[in-house]
Amino acid sequence: MPLSSPAIERQPMHAAGFRHRLLIALTAAIIAGTLLTAVQQVRVVPLILEAERYEHGAHPQGMDGPAGGHDSRAGSALRAVQTAMANLVMACGFAMLLAAATTLRGVRLDGRSGLFWGILGYAVFFVAPAIGLPPELPGAQTAELAARQQGWLLAVGGAASGLAMIGFAASPLIRGFGLVLILAPHLMGAPEAARALGTVPPNLTHAFIVATAVTNALFWLVLGGTFGLLDQRWSP
């Protein structure tokens, strides 16, 4: 049987309902994006700063000290604001995709089914591309930007299309083709690094991958769960 998310109520979607969906998406995006920014400042940003110090050829303690303290604090504040804005824009984009996908399916969510859709979003937009292209720190061994972008698009597109076929198609042939789409980008292989050696220690890279994975998982669970709860309470 095709995969279906739990506790989903199917019903026709009209213009007023879709406007409510957009409001729900915006609210969920603000909550999830704000939480993402806060967690990143604690778990992710310190790792990035440490990697940047290695990238510039200095030991992490070598750049500390009173000199330039005011400029450093101002730069950190500016970076935090820019990160928050980028996270909110990204969260709004993902929330709109969630609103569009559930609207096309003609379903209303609740907290439980919202978490289900959040897990799907995490699998498509983080897990699938991270298998071949894990998150990388400044100064890490990396492939060319264009090649990484192409690899990311192939992994995300294959995962989204494949999961949709597996979850919603009744034909075993189409569902099998969906599995092929999911696996194909990884069988093709990830782009090779342009540089032979990075400057970031392996333990720092591992810590960054783990922190990024946990942070993104929290973001998607909050985005999907909040969207579902608001959809259950606010939709007409």
Side-chain angles (χ1 to χ4, degrees):
M1 294 178 61
L3 179 66
S4 59
S5 57
I8 288 182
E9 177 186 346
R10 295 181 178 273
Q11 63 178 30
M13 188 67 63
H14 45 79
F18 186 67
R19 286 195 296 270
H20 275 80
R21 275 285 171 84
L22 294 180
L23 176 61
I24 289 168
L26 179 61
T27 305
I30 293 174
I31 294 173
T34 302
L35 178 63
L36 174 64
T37 301
V39 176
Q40 282 179 336
Q41 294 301 313
V42 177
R43 298 287 299 172
V44 178
V45 171
L47 299 175
I48 295 176
L49 294 177
E50 187 173 355
E52 287 177 346
R53 291 164 180 167
Y54 277 105
E55 184 182 24
H56 292 120
H59 189 271
Q61 279 74 31
M63 296 182 68
D64 292 336
H70 177 74
D71 292 339
S72 177
R73 287 192 295 271
S76 298
L78 178 60
R79 173 179 288 193
V81 172
Q82 291 173 337
T83 300
M85 293 176 63
N87 285 341
L88 289 174
V89 171
M90 177 193 68
C92 286
F94 285 140
M96 294 301 176
L97 286 177
L98 179 58
T102 53
T103 300
L104 289 174
R105 290 295 301 166
V107 297
R108 242 179 92 178
L109 305 184
D110 56 19
R112 184 184 175 193
S113 56
L115 288 175
F116 176 86
W117 282 83
I119 292 172
L120 290 180
Y122 178 64
V124 169
F125 291 102
F126 182 83
V127 176
I131 292 175
L133 297 167
E136 292 185 342
L137 286 164
Q141 182 178 350
T142 183
E144 294 290 343
L145 177 60
R148 287 179 59 84
Q149 290 175 334
Q150 183 180 16
W152 189 91
L153 289 173
L154 287 174
V156 169
S161 303
L163 286 175
M165 291 180 181
I166 294 173
F168 304 128
S171 169
L173 181 61
I174 296 179
R175 296 169 68 187
F177 183 65
L179 180 60
V180 172
L181 287 178
I182 295 175
L183 296 177
H186 308 292
L187 295 177
M188 292 169 56
E192 295 184 1
R195 289 181 289 175
L197 184 64
T199 59
V200 179
N203 63 324
L204 187 60
T205 298
H206 175 73
F208 179 72
I209 293 174
V210 172
T212 306
V214 172
T215 302
N216 276 270
L218 179 63
F219 165 76
W220 277 105
L221 289 175
V222 171
L223 182 66
T226 304
F227 188 101
L229 289 174
L230 296 178
D231 196 26
Q232 182 181 19
R233 297 182 180 182
W234 289 4
S235 292

